[in-house]
Structure formats: structure tokens, C-alpha cells
């Protein structure tokens, strides 16, 4: 698991989004975000400098861009 700021997290998403590399995103009850990639690799992030609503909004934005997001209410 990687810990990062919200800004770093959103910046690191850009290359993955542009290449359609993300298969699914899962938001855990602890509000950790796990990416499952098309090649079978997964990566989990704990965003440390924001609240739950901000993390959920990022996940909603991912869902709006066509990525399957699990764990959103």
C-alpha cells in the first residue's frame, strides 16, 4: 500500500487514464483505493491529507469516466 496526498494521487492517475490501463477501482471501507489493471497487477493507495467525501468524489469522477468503481455508496 502506498500513502500519498490527494494532489499526488490525482496527478499519478493521468497516465493510467490516458492509456485505458485501469480495469476496476475498489474503494474499501477504510477508504483505501485499489486499482486493478488490465495486466493483472493491483495497487492500493491510502490518501492521507483529505476527508472521506473527497476520496469518494475522486472515485465518482473515475466512474463518470467509464471505469468500474466498486464500494461507492
Amino acid at each position: 500500500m502506498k500513502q500519498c496526498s490527494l494532489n499526488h494521487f490525482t496527478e499519478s492517475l493521468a497516465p493510467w487514464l490516458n492509456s485505458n490501463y485501469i480495469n476496476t477501482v475498489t474503494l474499501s471501507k477504510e477508504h483505501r483505493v485499489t486499482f486493478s489493471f488490465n495486466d493483472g497487477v493491483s495497487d492500493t493507495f491510502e490518501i492521507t491529507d483529505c476527508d472521506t467525501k473527497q476520496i469518494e468524489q475522486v472515485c465518482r469522477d473515475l466512474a463518470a469516466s467509464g471505469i468500474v468503481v466498486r464500494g461507492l455508496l
Side-chain angles (χ1 to χ4, degrees):
M1 177 177 56
K2 299 176 183 176
Q3 291 183 332
C4 62
S5 68
L6 181 61
N7 189 43
H8 181 262
F9 178 76
T10 55
E11 286 177 1
S12 67
L13 287 177
W16 296 337
L17 294 174
N18 293 335
S19 65
N20 295 321
Y21 185 52
I22 301 170
N23 186 25
T24 60
V25 174
T26 303
L27 179 61
S28 74
K29 292 178 184 178
E30 298 82 16
H31 288 90
R32 293 184 179 119
V33 181
T34 300
F35 290 89
S36 297
F37 299 102
N38 291 326
D39 63 1
V41 174
S42 65
D43 210 352
T44 301
F45 293 85
E46 180 178 21
I47 305 167
T48 58
D49 69 339
C50 64
D51 63 22
T52 300
K53 290 183 183 198
Q54 290 171 299
I55 296 169
E56 289 174 348
Q57 185 58 53
V58 169
C59 289
R60 282 188 186 85
D61 292 344
L62 291 170
S65 72
I67 296 170
V68 174
V69 179
R70 298 181 177 125
L72 276 175
L73 300 177

